[in-house]
Amino acid sequence: MRFRGVLLALFLLPLAWGLITLASGRAVSVAPKCPGLQLDEVGEEHPGRMRPGFTCAVGYDTATGRSTGTRTYEQQKYAQEQERDGRYLRGAGYVTYSAVGLAVLAANGRSGLPWRPRRRREAAGQPM
């Protein structure tokens, strides 16, 4: 029975993690948000939401004061879509793994584990 509990935990933990991952995919914003310094069309810092024509400094070197990587509005929007899709895919994978594992565990619970030998009383036809 203890082994069954371990198996149950091995399938319930990924199920919980998959649901959390799916929920975090919903949390990724649809509108592009700049994680770093946002510059407008003329190169000045611009707070607020990102708009078409703006660039986003995703990497910033504080020693030199220069950006190490930039993204346009369209590139940032695409990066967020990829992040959201990746989270959905990973979450669905965890949930699928857990569902299949729990189904196999439930099916084997009724008929006994296939790799476990039957007890002597069961083999002799005597009830336990």
Side-chain angles (χ1 to χ4, degrees), residues 1-8 11 101-119 122:
M1 190 66 169
R2 182 179 145 142
F3 181 66
R4 187 169 172 81
V6 171
L7 283 176
L8 187 63
F11 292 121
L102 289 171
V104 168
L105 194 60
N108 284 332
R110 294 186 204 114
S111 63
L113 299 173
W115 58 84
R116 189 171 164 190
R118 292 184 173 239
R119 294 187 179 160
E122 288 177 88

Side-chain angles (χ1 to χ4, degrees), residues 49-92:
R49 66 180 188 91
M50 195 169 185
R51 298 184 190 132
F54 284 17
T55 58
C56 177
V58 291
Y60 190 74
D61 185 8
T62 55
T64 62
R66 296 181 183 257
S67 354
T68 56
T70 60
R71 288 184 187 151
T72 63
Y73 175 85
E74 291 78 19
Q75 289 171 333
Q76 182 63 26
K77 186 174 181 178
Y78 181 73
Q80 285 178 208
E81 288 172 359
Q82 292 298 309
E83 180 182 358
R84 184 174 40 256
D85 293 346
R87 288 183 186 189
Y88 285 149
L89 188 61
R90 283 190 307 273

Side-chain angles (χ1 to χ4, degrees), residues 8-27:
L8 187 63
L10 286 175
F11 292 121
L12 287 177
L13 288 174
L15 177 66
W17 188 253
L19 294 174
I20 290 169
T21 306
L22 284 171
S24 73
R26 293 273 306 162

Side-chain angles (χ1 to χ4, degrees), residues 37-46 53-57 67 70:
L37 184 65
Q38 181 175 234
L39 305 173
D40 60 11
E41 293 91 355
V42 292
E44 294 184 7
E45 184 178 350
H46 191 277
F54 284 17
T55 58
C56 177
S67 354
T70 60

